[in-house]
Amino acid sequence: PRLMVEGLRAVSDRYSVFLLDQYGVLHNGEALLPGVEEALEALAAAGKTLVVVSNTSKRRAALVAELPGRGFRPEWLAGAVCSGELCHSALGSGYRRALFLGWERDGDCSYLPSNVRPASS
């Protein structure tokens, strides 16, 4: 069932872990959205575990490295889960070739494990 609340304060005492979608929810690509800093600060101060979730094709380390530039304080976050890291893990389990489909500017294939080569055209 869907739960509609006025804000995190209404449910924060019911959960110990918060999975936080980043883009468009926490920040706009450049800076935290209004109210996010205060909410994350309160959750962290209450001892909540905060994990950023993203569909970026970047690896976890690259995602976490860019968060402070958008207003995140490293001490708020327990970790991050992103598509690029999951892809790296999945492809490392036996695949040998992969075809990247995306915009040229997104051609960073760091999510490919060393045993997988991008397919040539």
Side-chain angles (χ1 to χ4, degrees), residues 65-80:
E66 65 187 23
L67 291 175
R70 294 190 172 124
F72 287 85
R73 292 190 203 131
E75 64 270 18
W76 288 341
L77 302 175

Side-chain angles (χ1 to χ4, degrees), residues 14-58:
R14 295 170 57 183
Y15 303 96
S16 58
V17 177
F18 289 78
L19 302 176
L20 308 162
D21 185 18
Q22 67 158 344
Y23 191 80
V25 176
L26 299 177
H27 66 79
N28 62 7
E30 297 178 10
L32 295 177
L33 295 172
V36 169
E37 181 175 6
E38 295 81 6
L40 295 181
E41 186 67 41
L43 290 170
K48 305 300 180 175
T49 299
L50 307 178
V51 178
V52 169
V53 178
S54 176
N55 66 352
T56 184
S57 61
K58 295 176 183 174

Side-chain angles (χ1 to χ4, degrees), residues 2-22:
R2 181 178 284 184
L3 175 65
M4 300 297 288
V5 297
E6 290 293 320
L8 285 175
R9 282 189 189 97
V11 295
S12 63
D13 61 334
R14 295 170 57 183
Y15 303 96
S16 58
V17 177
F18 289 78
L19 302 176
L20 308 162
D21 185 18
Q22 67 158 344

